[in-house]
């Protein structure tokens, strides 16, 4: 008969094996958990979502917005509360341009090291700042550094948020040069990709993101040449979310309601 000691060792080995398998699973192949956690969209649809983390951060957020406007692309911006306080006009400009927004914590600290109460405070404090500044409420949340555990996912979900990770990283935070940023994205994109880029740098104000700005037009151009359509995260995941960007299902529902009233 197995001893309690052997059972504990066996259980620990299973957990470690699961963690190793998950760590080495490609991002695009990781499983979504509907309405809780997403890594990517539908792999059968040739659509991708550009996302920008750590903003607003001037002048680079405004420069990213200009590129997106010139290219007629809508994206999703995950905002840091402290940075919204610093650059409120940039935050309002994101929403005014019709982009989707998400919550990216107040000061970009690793939430895995926080208590449940601290995790809730980070999210709720940023939620209040975003809504007060932009007039919009978001239900998208991306944890700083993409780091999470069972408790952070649970607390996020309890607060009514959907956690959004990514399946492609531009690795622009390394500042490797615009050519490398372009290559990192274009070579890795697949149907349904959620692409991680940065218009900011954690809580640092004015951090240089000129390489990201320079790479963005070519990324859009090359992916379009491959037949990809750019959509926001709510559109990619078909989420019925509050905010200026409506999903296809929400728009159809609104149209149906309008028809009934005729």
């Amino acid at each position: 008969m197995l001893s309690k000691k052997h059972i504990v060792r066996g259980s620990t080995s299973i957990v470690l094996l699961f963690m190793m398998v998950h760590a080495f699973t490609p991002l695009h192949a990781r499983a979504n958990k509907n309405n809780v956690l997403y890594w990517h969209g539908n792999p059968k649809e040739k659509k991708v979502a550009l996302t920008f983390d750590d903003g607003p951060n001037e002048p680079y957020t405004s420069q990213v917005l200009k590129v997106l406007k010139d290219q007629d692309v809508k994206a999703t911006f995950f905002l840091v509360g402290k940075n919204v306080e610093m650059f409120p006009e940039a935050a309002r400009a994101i929403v005014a341009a019709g982009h989707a927004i998400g919550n990216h914590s107040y000061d970009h600290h690793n939430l895995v090291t926080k208590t449940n109460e601290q995790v809730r405070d980070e999210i709720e404090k940023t939620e209040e700042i975003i809504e007060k500044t932009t007039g919009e409420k978001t239900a998208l949340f991306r944890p700083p550094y993409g780091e999470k555990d069972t408790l952070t996912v649970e607390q996020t979900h309890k607060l009514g948020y959907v956690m959004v990770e990514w399946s492609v990283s531009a690795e622009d935070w390394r500042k490797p040069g615009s050519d490398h940023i372009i290559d990192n994205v274009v070579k890795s994109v697949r149907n349904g990709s959620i692409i991680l880029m940065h218009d900011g740098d954690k809580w640092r104000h004015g951090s240089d993101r000129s390489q990201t700005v320079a790479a963005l037009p070519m990324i859009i151009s090359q992916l379009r040449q491959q037949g990809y359509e750019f959509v926001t995260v709510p559109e990619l995941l078909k989420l019925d979310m509050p905010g200026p960007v409506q999903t296809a299902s929400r728009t159809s529902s609104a149209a149906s309601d309008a028809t009934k009233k005729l």
Side-chain angles (χ1 to χ4, degrees):
M1 186 173 182
L2 291 175
S3 66
K4 186 176 180 180
K5 188 175 182 180
H6 283 108
I7 292 173
V8 170
R9 282 180 176 175
S11 299
T12 302
S13 298
I14 291 171
V15 171
L16 289 173
L17 178 60
F18 174 81
M19 290 174 66
M20 288 176 66
V21 170
H22 182 75
F24 287 101
T25 301
L27 296 179
H28 65 268
R30 293 187 179 180
N32 293 330
K33 188 173 182 181
N34 285 343
N35 298 315
V36 177
L37 170 65
Y38 291 90
W39 295 90
H40 52 77
N42 189 339
K44 295 181 180 179
E45 295 182 352
K46 209 168 181 64
K47 297 180 180 180
V48 297
L50 285 171
T51 68
F52 296 89
D53 280 15
D54 299 359
N57 173 48
E58 291 293 68
Y60 303 102
T61 298
S62 290
Q63 292 174 9
V64 167
L65 288 174
K66 184 179 185 308
V67 173
L68 295 174
K69 180 180 179 181
D70 291 344
Q71 299 288 333
D72 193 24
V73 169
K74 291 295 185 285
T76 305
F77 290 77
F78 287 91
L79 309 177
V80 173
K82 183 176 284 189
N83 297 343
V84 173
E85 291 178 325
M86 183 67 181
F87 301 109
E89 288 300 325
R92 285 190 280 268
I94 291 169
V95 171
H99 301 289
I101 55 174
N103 186 322
H104 196 37
S105 83
Y106 178 71
D107 53 15
H108 207 283
H109 287 157
N110 191 335
L111 299 185
V112 173
T113 66
K114 306 288 186 179
T115 64
N116 284 348
E117 184 179 354
Q118 289 172 324
V119 170
R120 290 195 299 271
D121 184 62
E122 281 274 338
I123 297 173
E124 290 178 323
K125 185 175 183 179
T126 304
E127 175 183 305
E128 183 180 346
I129 292 168
I130 289 174
E131 189 169 5
K132 182 178 179 181
T133 303
T134 69
E136 295 293 342
K137 184 177 175 65
T138 179
L140 300 176
F141 179 74
R142 174 171 285 167
Y145 310 101
E147 293 289 341
K148 66 197 173 303
D149 57 14
T150 303
L151 294 178
T152 56
V153 173
E154 181 182 89
Q155 291 304 313
T156 301
H157 187 59
K158 282 183 176 179
L159 289 172
Y161 281 84
V162 173
M163 188 174 284
V164 180
E165 292 279 6
W166 60 86
S167 55
V168 174
S169 175
E171 297 190 12
D172 52 345
W173 58 272
R174 298 178 184 272
K175 300 180 182 178
S178 58
D179 287 344
H180 285 288
I181 293 171
I182 295 166
D183 187 56
N184 288 339
V185 173
V186 174
K187 74 180 181 183
S188 303
V189 161
R190 291 173 169 78
N191 289 357
S193 287
I194 297 176
I195 303 166
L196 170 66
M197 302 184 76
H198 295 81
D199 60 324
D201 184 6
K202 304 180 183 69
W203 58 88
R204 301 182 183 94
H205 299 148
S207 186
D208 186 356
R209 288 301 180 201
S210 58
Q211 293 181 7
T212 300
V213 174
L216 186 55
M218 190 58 68
I219 289 172
I220 294 171
S221 175
Q222 290 192 21
L223 291 182
R224 273 183 168 156
Q225 287 175 14
Q226 295 179 28
Y228 288 102
E229 177 186 353
F230 291 92
V231 296
T232 65
V233 166
E235 291 170 322
L236 185 74
L237 303 179
K238 295 180 172 60
L239 300 173
D240 190 7
M241 310 285 293
V245 180
Q246 296 184 333
T247 64
S249 61
R250 190 174 180 184
T251 304
S252 297
S253 176
S256 176
D257 291 342
T259 301
K260 291 176 181 177
K261 292 178 182 178
L262 295 176

